[in-house]
Amino acid sequence: MLGEAARSAGYRLIVRDEVGSTMEEARRALHQGDPGQLWIVARSQNAGRGRHGRQWTSPPGNLYASLLLVNPCEPALAPQLGFVAGLALHDAAARVTGLAAPRLALKWPNDLLVDGAKCSGLLLEGESGAGRFAVIAGLGINIASCAQGTPYPASFLRAHAPDVTIEATLAALAEAFAERFAIWQRPGGFGPTRQGWLERAAFLGQTITIRPPSGAVTGVFSGLDPAGRLLLETPGGTRAFDAGDLFFGAAIPEAAPR
């Protein structure tokens, strides 16, 4: 299911029928001494979660995966792996659906959009201990269904390409991540990663609202700085954000998750 390119690069795969969370399974593998480059995939989750501890609905038919990386970089550089994983999501969706930018777009910091609707998200967590630094990337891709009643539009890949399968999507994702990660690991590798992400960015050059913990800020999304922080042009000048929820336009939906 991983594909020859990913296996040749040293990636491995464990598939479970149901787990609480693939991220917790990856964390358990880490604590048991796993060397990393391990994909853990579940057919369903009963305790999936997204950013800020939000519940992630996990019915069968979609892809639920986590990737364990051990000592992939210095801890300070770990947030850049979110852009690597985002590009891999975009690449994989393009390969299995035949769609391309701008219909496929990356919404800062962690969502993949199809025609403006969210069809995938990712969660990045780091953990240090016993002389090792690990990053766990949790990725969920809506293939057969999506959540209903969300404060933002949602979609799934089969709505655009009915023949998409979990197996093909996983193979494309693992191969794309191996390729993007190898590029990022080269000296200066965040440069092409950042450029590739910006070429696929949703709402670039448009008015957006960012809601960090300090409060909502509205401005024009002008790019990413060399560290990967979102740049927002506001009446008070350029501001940089490394975290927060992004909403298109100046208004924030009342039902936005907190």
Side-chain angles (χ1 to χ4, degrees), residues 68-145:
L68 171 64
L69 298 170
V70 177
N71 293 326
C73 60
E74 295 296 322
L77 298 179
Q80 295 179 8
L81 288 170
F83 298 99
V84 176
L87 283 171
L89 282 172
H90 194 287
D91 291 346
R95 292 180 193 183
V96 299
T97 65
L99 301 175
R103 292 189 64 189
L104 284 176
L106 293 169
K107 174 177 171 284
W108 186 89
N110 66 344
D111 293 341
L112 175 68
L113 308 182
V114 180
D115 293 337
K118 178 176 177 176
C119 72
S120 178
L122 68 95
L123 178 64
L124 212 64
E125 294 184 349
E127 184 163 331
S128 298
R132 302 198 303 171
F133 172 67
V135 173
I136 301 172
L139 304 101
I141 303 178
N142 296 335
I143 294 176
S145 65

Side-chain angles (χ1 to χ4, degrees), residues 4-208:
E4 181 59 33
R7 290 197 302 270
S8 296
Y11 291 86
R12 298 168 293 124
L13 171 66
I14 294 175
V15 179
R16 307 287 192 209
D17 284 333
E18 183 180 76
V19 299
S21 160
T22 59
M23 294 198 74
E24 291 308 316
E25 292 293 309
R27 186 168 285 105
R28 185 174 297 111
L30 171 68
H31 293 167
Q32 292 173 349
D34 192 276
Q37 288 188 284
L38 175 66
W39 284 96
I40 297 180
V41 173
R43 304 188 191 284
S44 66
Q45 301 179 121
N46 55 44
R49 57 190 172 85
R51 293 175 66 236
H52 309 308
R54 298 165 184 160
Q55 183 177 2
W56 182 273
T57 304
S58 308
N62 297 330
L63 176 61
Y64 312 109
S66 287
L67 173 61
L68 171 64
L69 298 170
V70 177
N71 293 326
C73 60
E74 295 296 322
L77 298 179
Q80 295 179 8
L81 288 170
F83 298 99
V84 176
L87 283 171
L89 282 172
H90 194 287
D91 291 346
R95 292 180 193 183
V96 299
T97 65
L99 301 175
R103 292 189 64 189
L104 284 176
L106 293 169
K107 174 177 171 284
W108 186 89
N110 66 344
D111 293 341
L112 175 68
L113 308 182
V114 180
D115 293 337
K118 178 176 177 176
C119 72
S120 178
L122 68 95
L123 178 64
L124 212 64
E125 294 184 349
E127 184 163 331
S128 298
R132 302 198 303 171
F133 172 67
V135 173
I136 301 172
L139 304 101
I141 303 178
N142 296 335
I143 294 176
S145 65
C146 61
Q148 303 296 315
T150 58
Y152 44 78
S155 187
F156 54 97
L157 296 186
R158 284 185 188 162
H160 306 274
D163 295 331
V164 173
T165 66
I166 293 174
E167 292 77 12
T169 304
L170 173 60
L173 176 62
E175 181 174 320
F177 186 90
E179 293 171 353
R180 293 290 185 177
F181 184 61
I183 292 171
W184 177 78
Q185 285 188 305
R186 298 169 187 163
F190 185 58
T193 298
R194 173 177 171 272
Q195 183 58 38
W197 193 95
L198 285 170
E199 290 169 356
R200 296 158 178 79
F203 314 128
L204 186 63
Q206 300 182 48
T207 297
I208 60 170

